[in-house]
Amino acid sequence: MDQTTPAFTPILLGSDFNAYGMARTLYEIYGKPVKTFAEVNLAPTRYSKIVDMEFIDGFAEDPVWFETMLKLKERYKDAEGPVILIACGGDGYAELISRHKAELEDVFVCPYIDYDLIKKLNDKVSFYEMCEKFDMPYPGTRVITKEMYDNHEEIDQPFEYPVALKAANSVEWLDVHFEGRKKAFTIQNEAELKDIIAKSYDNGYKSEMILQDFIPGDDSNMRTLNAYVGKDHKVKLMCLGHPILEDPAPAAIGNYVAIMPEYNDTIYDQIQHFLESINYTGFANFDMKYDHRDKQYKLFDMNIRQGRSSFFVSLNGYKLADWVIQDYAYDSLSDKEALRANKDTNNYFLWLGVNPSTFEKYAKESEVTDHAISLIKEGRWGGSTFWYGKDKNPKRYALYKWAMHNYAVSFKKYFVAK
């Protein structure tokens, strides 16, 4: 990509691993701290010199978010070049940008789809309906509603146990709290199913719950894909990752801690057709799992943003955060065909969110794990996203060591081989 730098201002929303990975990528390219706004000071961006952070109490939702953005419009209205909003964290910031896009885009570049489409894609019920329309495989599914629970209806459970259970509305689920709450549940029997449904609705959740056929197999059957779709609604980048280990802590289920790059034309074909058919724009992230029973990769969900562990894309040379800069600041992507990443296995780097010793102890023995270990021995790996050579200081080192220690404790406490 051409690096003759025009004037532009990227603004990140969030302070998590996602935000730090995007900031790190931009800092590596342009050498400037990245302006960042968030509600709370999370560990990945703490004590960092590459993020210029401001915290606003209540910034994660309206009305505070929109009131703050109106003030920021005044601050940035005379900025030279485009001022580009990049949502990090969960899906909440992407939803907020999309909801208020009409009031913001006279000052800010808002590279997000319209709010009605975001709501459909963020809700798993309507997302699976779209999967049906575009012939994209997903697990066998039943929908449970609050009305069914309130009316004491029997749940149509056609699958063998264990089954998977998760909230359809991932944004609403963030505000639901009870002992044993998880991002996703693996349910072993009918009594447990009824208990989790009751706790979910009794503690304020209102949307649908998704009951699914449990796809057998361990973490190494997962795949994750990050994409960037240009302002012309054409896919510019797709980068597939092969997770081979996940965080086992109940509150962190689904958070990857080891990802190998992978290439798969079938997956790339499906995702490109889908994104271009719905006139998508901006970043997207898909999670899926390989089902050995019918030899299909089945989609779990779609995030209207880059993934939490998306720095694996930049680690492998594809500089994820820069695609939106190239698109809106350089205007350099209009004639570019989709880049399908990771075709050359000789260029692979392993992304790790845990120490190599933790990875080697808990990752299932397989060809891909052997390949990952060989990359570690060759030095072709990247440690935790937020441990960055140009942003080291004693306080961040202490945070890093604390995080690695906590991972080791968590694996010892929660890890169960599948």
Side-chain angles (χ1 to χ4, degrees), residues 8 34 42 50 85 90 108 129 223 226 236 243 251 315 325 331 349 380 392 402 411 417:
F8 65 91
V34 182
L42 297 178
I50 72 167
L85 299 181
F108 299 115
E129 290 172 354
R223 299 296 187 274
N226 282 275
K236 306 302 178 184
L315 181 66
I325 306 301
D331 195 26
F349 276 77
R380 299 180 61 82
K392 291 181 179 179
W402 173 77
F411 270 91

Side-chain angles (χ1 to χ4, degrees), residues 91-152:
D91 292 320
Y93 285 125
E95 279 202 9
L96 287 165
I97 293 172
S98 178
R99 182 188 299 165
H100 297 292
K101 188 164 60 168
E103 298 100 325
L104 298 176
E105 58 189 357
D106 56 330
V107 170
F108 299 115
V109 171
C110 302
Y112 295 89
I113 51 177
D114 290 341
Y115 187 62
D116 287 347
L117 182 54
I118 270 195
K119 293 298 288 183
K120 288 181 181 179
L121 295 173
N122 270 347
D123 183 274
K124 292 179 178 61
V125 175
S126 52
F127 174 65
Y128 293 142
E129 290 172 354
M130 297 180 80
C131 287
E132 285 279 352
K133 179 179 178 181
F134 290 96
D135 198 27
M136 297 195 299
Y138 65 96
T141 297
R142 288 291 184 273
V143 177
I144 300 167
T145 66
K146 188 174 187 302
E147 183 180 16
M148 292 166 62
Y149 172 69
D150 290 341
N151 293 336
H152 307 287

Side-chain angles (χ1 to χ4, degrees), residues 150-410:
D150 290 341
N151 293 336
H152 307 287
E153 293 183 29
E154 282 296 316
I155 298 168
D156 177 17
Q157 206 294 77
F159 314 115
E160 293 184 4
Y161 287 101
V163 292
L165 182 71
K166 54 194 171 185
N169 189 323
S170 59
V171 176
E172 184 185 333
W173 187 247
L174 293 173
D175 294 325
V176 177
H177 303 283
F178 57 86
E179 186 175 355
R181 177 198 176 279
K182 301 178 183 179
K183 291 174 62 177
F185 300 89
T186 301
I187 305 294
Q188 302 297 331
N189 52 58
E190 183 179 357
E192 185 181 2
L193 177 64
K194 290 181 177 179
D195 179 60
I196 297 300
I197 291 171
K199 287 178 178 176
S200 299
Y201 288 123
D202 289 347
N203 284 278
Y205 186 66
K206 296 181 176 64
S207 298
E208 297 94 340
M209 299 290 291
I210 300 294
L211 178 69
Q212 289 186 324
D213 177 30
F214 182 79
I215 298 175
D218 63 8
D219 301 343
S220 64
N221 292 283
M222 295 297 298
R223 299 296 187 274
T224 186
L225 185 146
N226 282 275
Y228 179 74
V229 185
K231 59 187 177 184
D232 60 357
H233 306 291
K234 300 296 183 183
V235 171
K236 306 302 178 184
L237 169 71
M238 293 178 290
C239 185
L240 182 65
H242 185 165
I244 42 183
L245 192 62
E246 292 185 14
D247 190 333
I253 288 172
N255 289 346
Y256 307 127
V257 296
I259 299 177
M260 281 285 284
E262 188 169 298
Y263 186 90
N264 187 307
D265 268 325
T266 299
I267 293 174
Y268 284 153
D269 284 342
Q270 288 179 334
I271 297 301
Q272 181 170 0
H273 175 67
F274 174 66
L275 290 172
E276 293 183 349
S277 296
I278 64 173
N279 260 2
Y280 195 82
T281 190
F283 294 106
N285 171 236
F286 298 83
D287 291 308
M288 62 198 82
K289 189 175 184 180
Y290 183 69
D291 191 338
H292 291 279
R293 297 170 300 182
D294 58 9
K295 297 179 171 55
Q296 290 186 311
Y297 291 94
K298 296 182 177 178
L299 285 165
F300 284 164
D301 54 29
M302 175 182 178
N303 298 311
I304 316 300
R305 53 170 171 80
Q306 59 287 351
R308 177 184 183 274
S309 50
S310 62
F311 190 73
F312 87 87
V313 179
S314 297
L315 181 66
N316 279 277
Y318 302 103
K319 305 300 182 188
L320 185 61
D322 198 39
W323 288 82
V324 69
I325 306 301
Q326 293 292 324
D327 199 11
Y328 289 93
Y330 292 81
D331 195 26
S332 64
L333 300 184
S334 57
D335 297 324
K336 291 189 181 296
E337 295 184 359
L339 192 164
R340 297 184 169 199
N342 307 327
K343 196 163 189 178
D344 186 354
T345 58
N346 293 317
N347 294 330
Y348 281 11
F349 276 77
L350 167 69
W351 176 84
L352 281 182
V354 294
N355 281 328
S357 58
T358 300
F359 168 72
E360 292 182 27
K361 182 175 181 179
Y362 292 100
K364 181 182 178 182
E365 291 185 10
S366 65
E367 280 189 27
V368 69
T369 299
D370 290 343
H371 189 184
I373 292 172
S374 72
L375 292 181
I376 292 173
K377 292 177 179 177
E378 295 171 16
R380 299 180 61 82
W381 64 282
S384 181
T385 299
F386 73 87
W387 189 235
Y388 174 36
K390 295 182 179 180
D391 196 23
K392 291 181 179 179
N393 60 60
K395 289 182 177 180
R396 283 190 67 79
Y397 180 71
L399 274 177
Y400 171 73
K401 296 296 287 184
W402 173 77
M404 295 302 103
H405 168 75
N406 281 352
Y407 270 127
V409 171
S410 182

Side-chain angles (χ1 to χ4, degrees), residues 54 60 88 220 353:
E54 289 186 34
C88 301
S220 64

